Amino acid sequence: MNPTGLTPTAFDFQAIDCDQLVRNGYVIVPDFLSAAHTRLLYQYAQQLPDYEWQQAGIGRADDYSTNTRIRQDKIRWLSRANTLETNYLNGLETLRLQLNRELFMGLFDYECHLAHYPPGAFYRKHLDAFKGRSNRILTTVLYLNPDWSSTDGGQLVIYGQRQEILETVLPEAGKLVLFLSDKFVHEVLAGQRDRYSITGWFRLNASIGGVIDPSR
């Protein structure tokens, strides 16, 4: 296997139930990414030096701030300067085209970052779509963690309109979660182990003067 490669066959695009995504606003896809390729990304995230990570914040631009009482993960934005990251982004581009073709969602582009939650780290209840901004449409979370069990914690909890729990998702390796960014309050519970994922957003084109809004 190419140590830097994610081939198109690594992604199980057909496993995504688009009807369920339309009906419920979210879908959970176990084994979306093959075990071997998930392991590549997990090992890649583990070996990144500390200086490659930044403390995650909340908000954008002038409203951006870090608040560890709300959010304690560290992140690293993916880019096309790295082959492994590029191949993952290519896979999600294929997914973008599939969703547009099957659901006419008008998704324009995609951004994502690695997220590392050290033991005890959490992210309190929040929405992914920013107030007054509508260009984050669909959230994606791909988990990288091998041999994860319920006793390890770190679950993603998705809430309904009445704050009832809709789903409690174990962050198991290869599992993909898709949900509408402006509809579902969610949180990440504290875990007992280092927890890795790739979190991203499909967006609409809300550019002004050629600048995509919001910028990172």
Side-chain angles (χ1 to χ4, degrees):
M1 181 186 299
N2 181 349
T4 60
L6 286 176
T7 64
T9 57
F11 302 88
D12 190 359
F13 300 109
Q14 299 308 310
I16 296 175
D17 188 336
C18 288
D19 290 336
Q20 185 180 33
L21 180 59
V22 171
R23 184 169 60 252
N24 297 337
Y26 68 90
V27 66
I28 300 168
V29 189
D31 303 318
F32 171 72
L33 186 64
S34 74
H37 290 87
T38 303
R39 192 178 310 114
L40 281 178
L41 286 167
Y42 177 71
Q43 293 170 344
Y44 172 71
Q46 280 191 311
Q47 60 82 37
L48 285 171
D50 288 344
Y51 65 81
E52 293 276 3
W53 299 90
Q54 66 183 82
Q55 186 65 47
I58 54 177
R60 286 282 174 124
D62 293 340
D63 294 326
Y64 181 85
S65 64
T66 57
N67 185 339
T68 56
R69 291 175 297 178
I70 297 175
R71 183 177 187 179
Q72 297 183 331
D73 58 317
K74 296 183 178 182
I75 64 172
R76 183 189 187 280
W77 290 98
L78 268 64
S79 76
R80 294 188 175 276
N82 173 283
T83 301
L84 185 60
E85 295 181 17
T86 295
N87 290 339
Y88 181 79
L89 291 169
N90 287 344
L92 272 291
E93 171 65 10
T94 299
L95 178 56
R96 182 185 73 86
L97 295 174
Q98 174 182 322
L99 293 171
N100 281 346
R101 182 174 61 252
E102 296 188 22
L103 302 180
F104 306 100
M105 295 189 72
L107 304 174
F108 175 71
D109 71 349
Y110 181 73
E111 62 176 0
C112 66
H113 59 63
L114 282 162
H116 173 212
Y117 287 80
F122 55 79
Y123 193 169
R124 301 301 190 201
K125 290 181 180 180
H126 63 284
L127 276 171
D128 281 353
F130 297 107
K131 184 178 180 180
R133 309 294 180 97
S134 61
N135 66 334
R136 277 188 173 180
I137 300 301
L138 191 66
T139 297
T140 75
V141 187
L142 176 77
Y143 295 112
L144 306 179
N145 312 291
D147 304 316
W148 199 274
S149 69
S150 59
T151 58
D152 294 319
Q155 294 93 337
L156 171 71
V157 183
I158 302 174
Y159 295 92
Q161 292 184 350
R162 297 181 298 278
Q163 293 301 297
E164 74 278 18
I165 294 176
L166 297 177
E167 299 285 347
T168 301
V169 184
L170 276 182
E172 299 168 302
K175 180 183 292 182
L176 178 72
V177 182
L178 297 171
F179 59 88
L180 294 175
S181 302
D182 64 348
K183 297 296 184 184
F184 295 100
V185 171
H186 55 287
E187 68 176 322
V188 176
L189 303 181
Q192 304 300 314
R193 296 168 46 191
D194 289 289
R195 175 189 187 277
Y196 292 93
S197 61
I198 302 178
T199 301
W201 301 270
F202 290 111
R203 310 190 303 177
L204 293 181
N205 183 5
S207 61
I208 299 175
V211 177
I212 295 176
D213 179 34
S215 59
R216 282 202 293 273

